[in-house]
Amino acid sequence: MSAWVLPDHIADVLPSEARHIEELRRQLLDTARGYGYELVMPPLLEHLESLLSGTGEALDLQTFKLVDQLSGRSMGLRADTTPQVARIDAHLLNRDGVARLCYCGPVLHTRPDRPHATREPLQFGAEIYGHAGLEADTETLLLALDCLDAAGLRDGVIVDLADARIVRALFAGVPVDAAALARVHAALAAKDASELESLTKDFPAASREGLRALVQLYGDASVLDEAAKALKGTPAVGAALADLKQLAAGLQGVAGRQISFDLADLRGYAYYSGMRFGIYVPGAADSLVRGGRYDEVGAVFGRNRPAVGFSLDVRELVGVLPARPLRAAIRAPWSDAAGLRQAIAQLRKAGETVVCVLPGHGSEIDEFHCDRELVEQAGQWTVRAI
């Protein structure tokens, strides 16, 4: 095998796409800043016990592991940034009130989390700590939609809502180990009624019938009324359904977005404790944005307080957007003339891209579209259209 062949699901990013990714990264962070979110930059590498503590254990199979040559301790390359931000909120900031935090950086996965996905996503996310009310949930959803809007995605966007408390309530009091629980979750996510029938045959009647009902509980807002009838024997479900109704009502005024519900959706990391959502856009094979409430994520760090947020892969986002045109630039000759050097420096300080054409390369095409050129007229260097 050639030394330059990259590992599976790992790829270089070439100039036009790299520029698009970087411009989007800045737009997303600026959108979050407009809501009052502060930027944090957790390290890519941490001690393994910190990365995989508590709810982070769900990320074990996705985490690359290695040994620190300085300490001999096991280290991990982060597969998700949320547990790290929870650690920052708990130990470094330790604020009494609300903390709004955002981030954008690479994560690494041992295997792609969906077909054709990269194992090196560029994860952007935003999280609110310290408020348990639906106001924080609503703000998270609105910010996620505004981020997509900033990227140029508005039409055909679908917000799919669920709530982890519904399934938790149906499992309450059911003696089931982690492996069996995972199989039930998989059957629910796949809408596999026959598999679910087999897995739950020994469950109490109320739990068994409720889980079977979930397989059919997806669609528009009428699903919530159907769920209230089908799951009426499980009182804890009522609060979750009421919250979903209120969240959906808060999004009704956002034009161009469709709202749906899938009460059996349990995909993603296991730390969700309440409302959860996925946002689907045209061209994406799966949900482009994932988020929800995860009030227990900070418990292992000694500070179990309310938390809600979302994340997306900026590289995947670029993949569903039209390619951006080449960036306009000014072409200039290569010369040591002081007047030319000064003119180029002034244009660059003003924010212009000035490409100096090296001798013998005047006909080459690159990342920039030179629609103007710097020419000398009457002893002065001026810009003119090409």
Side-chain angles (χ1 to χ4, degrees):
M1 180 179 293
S2 300
W4 51 265
V5 175
L6 294 174
D8 291 343
H9 301 282
I10 298 290
D12 294 308
V13 181
L14 301 183
S16 291
E17 184 181 1
R19 173 170 60 87
H20 198 169
I21 289 172
E22 175 59 16
E23 289 173 354
L24 273 179
R25 185 190 69 84
R26 296 178 186 181
Q27 286 178 315
L28 295 172
L29 289 173
D30 285 346
T31 302
R33 183 177 60 186
Y35 276 69
Y37 287 72
E38 301 170 274
L39 179 64
V40 293
M41 296 180 178
L44 182 62
L45 183 73
E46 281 203 49
H47 292 128
L48 196 59
E49 59 266 29
S50 175
L51 281 180
L52 301 183
S53 295
T55 54
E57 291 176 1
L59 302 172
D60 187 19
L61 293 178
Q62 280 284 57
T63 301
F64 278 101
K65 304 172 180 70
L66 63 154
V67 175
D68 183 5
Q69 297 299 308
L70 294 180
S71 67
R73 296 178 63 181
S74 294
M75 308 283 279
L77 297 169
R78 67 175 179 225
D80 180 44
T81 312
T82 290
Q84 294 184 296
V85 179
R87 173 182 55 76
I88 289 173
D89 174 69
H91 282 296
L92 299 181
L93 295 179
N94 199 28
R95 294 173 180 170
D96 292 331
V98 169
R100 290 180 171 91
L101 305 175
C102 65
Y103 55 85
C104 191
V107 296
L108 289 169
H109 295 163
T110 56
R111 62 195 70 186
D113 65 356
R114 61 186 82 181
H116 311 297
T118 177
R119 291 195 290 165
E120 190 187 6
L122 180 63
Q123 189 180 56
F124 165 80
E127 307 182 6
I128 305 177
Y129 292 87
H131 186 75
L134 284 178
E135 297 85 358
D137 299 54
T138 301
E139 180 177 299
T140 296
L141 282 160
L142 291 174
L143 174 56
L145 290 170
D146 274 355
C147 284
L148 294 181
D149 189 39
L153 288 172
R154 173 176 288 272
D155 296 332
V157 173
I158 300 173
V159 181
D160 195 60
L161 295 170
D163 197 303
R165 292 174 294 176
I166 295 174
V167 174
R168 286 189 178 191
L170 294 174
F171 274 113
V174 178
V176 60
D177 59 34
L181 184 63
R183 289 195 295 271
V184 173
H185 285 176
L188 283 170
K191 306 291 188 291
D192 190 338
S194 60
E195 176 70 4
L196 193 62
E197 175 85 22
S198 174
L199 292 170
T200 60
K201 64 180 184 298
D202 297 326
F203 282 24
S207 296
R208 183 176 65 249
E209 292 169 6
L211 290 168
R212 291 174 187 170
L214 283 184
V215 174
Q216 304 299 325
L217 292 175
Y218 60 91
D220 59 23
S222 64
V223 164
L224 300 181
D225 294 328
E226 294 174 20
K229 296 175 183 177
L231 306 176
K232 60 184 178 182
T234 311
V237 171
L241 295 175
D243 286 352
L244 289 175
K245 281 187 177 182
Q246 190 169 339
L247 282 171
L251 297 178
Q252 291 296 337
V254 183
R257 275 76 176 198
Q258 178 182 340
I259 301 170
S260 64
F261 302 86
D262 185 351
L263 303 188
D265 185 7
L266 297 168
R267 292 173 299 169
Y269 302 132
Y271 49 58
Y272 290 110
S273 61
M275 177 277 299
R276 54 184 295 150
F277 65 91
I279 301 180
Y280 297 80
V281 303
D286 205 337
S287 53
L288 182 66
V289 182
R290 295 177 183 176
R293 180 163 286 279
Y294 31 82
D295 290 343
E296 298 154 19
V297 72
V300 70
F301 304 112
R303 197 161 191 235
N304 193 11
R305 73 187 196 129
V308 60
F310 71 91
S311 66
L312 61 87
D313 176 10
V314 183
R315 295 176 68 169
E316 185 181 12
L317 175 58
V318 166
V320 301
L321 294 172
R324 293 193 174 182
L326 297 179
R327 183 171 179 176
I330 299 170
R331 185 173 64 196
W334 179 266
S335 171
D336 292 329
L340 175 60
R341 291 285 181 88
Q342 183 178 6
I344 290 172
Q346 289 175 344
L347 287 167
R348 287 173 175 164
K349 285 181 181 179
E352 294 282 2
T353 297
V354 182
V355 180
C356 290
V357 180
L358 298 174
H361 298 272
S363 62
E364 294 178 3
I365 298 174
D366 58 19
E367 162 68 10
F368 301 98
H369 169 56
C370 293
D371 59 351
R372 292 155 293 162
E373 62 180 348
L374 194 57
V375 296
E376 188 176 19
Q377 294 179 337
Q380 298 291 324
W381 289 96
T382 60
V383 177
R384 73 177 184 188
I386 297 177

